[in-house]
Amino acid sequence: MLEPKMSSAEIARSFGYMDYAATIHERCAQSRHWYLQFICVDPDYQGKGHGGRLLKFLLDRLDSERESCFLETQNQENLAFYQQNGFQVVEQGTIPGTDIGHWAMLR
Ligand SMILES: CC(C)(COP(=O)(O)OP(=O)(O)OC[C@H]1O[C@@H](n2cnc3c(N)ncnc32)[C@H](O)[C@@H]1OP(=O)(O)O)[C@@H](O)C(=O)NCCC(=O)NCCS
């Protein structure tokens, strides 16, 4: 039998996060939109423009289709990266039961 990698408290907390994030997503992005769930660059290659190019590739397409885009971040340092690319913070909070910040952004 496989050993669980997460405790039941951790599993409950991650489901709690999913509910929290889904409620904010629904509230903040009520019309048709894309959902940018993850964008990541290998730490050795961060800060060299790759993330910006990846994001631009997606946003150029969304602009040509006149689509909006929603995302969340838990890292305040990422806000500038997204703001430079036209996203605005639409809701800011703290993940329940933690001291982790949560920012919802829309473009
Ligand atoms: C966020 C992430 C995707 C950005 O990719 P990157 O390749 O490092 O970013 P770029 O080199 O293209 O940077 C583009 C611009 O954003 C700025 N920027 C990027 N990350 C930043 C940060 N953490 N803090 C402040 N500015 C940042 C850069 O200074 C740059 O600005 P400039 O064009 O004026 O010089 C990357 O840092 C990453 O994978 N981080 C870890 C995972 C993560 O947090 N993903 C986002 C989940 S919401």
Side-chain angles (χ1 to χ4, degrees):
M1 195 167 126
L2 289 174
E3 283 294 312
K5 299 278 190 220
M6 292 170 77
S7 68
S8 45
E10 287 166 338
I11 292 169
R13 203 166 60 209
S14 67
F15 277 110
Y17 168 70
M18 285 189 266
D19 284 347
Y20 169 76
T23 303
I24 292 172
H25 188 164
E26 245 175 68
R27 183 163 59 230
C28 293
Q30 296 189 349
S31 52
R32 180 186 155 92
H33 63 278
W34 281 56
Y35 179 30
L36 177 58
Q37 193 166 18
F38 299 114
I39 179 169
C40 296
V41 171
D42 183 306
D44 287 348
Y45 296 91
Q46 289 174 10
K48 299 180 192 317
H50 299 304
R53 278 194 290 278
L54 266 176
L55 194 56
K56 183 175 184 316
F57 180 79
L58 170 71
L59 297 179
D60 282 351
R61 174 172 169 190
L62 300 196
D63 285 347
S64 73
E65 296 173 7
R66 304 180 67 79
E67 298 276 11
S68 67
C69 189
F70 175 85
L71 63 80
E72 301 122 343
T73 187
Q74 290 76 43
N75 183 349
Q76 188 164 17
E77 291 187 346
N78 289 341
L79 296 179
F81 173 68
Y82 293 124
Q83 282 164 337
Q84 277 175 14
N85 286 285
F87 286 87
Q88 291 182 333
V89 175
V90 286
E91 191 163 325
Q92 176 180 353
T94 304
I95 298 173
T98 77
D99 57 1
I100 301 170
H102 181 93
W103 290 264
M105 303 185 83
L106 197 59
R107 178 185 190 268

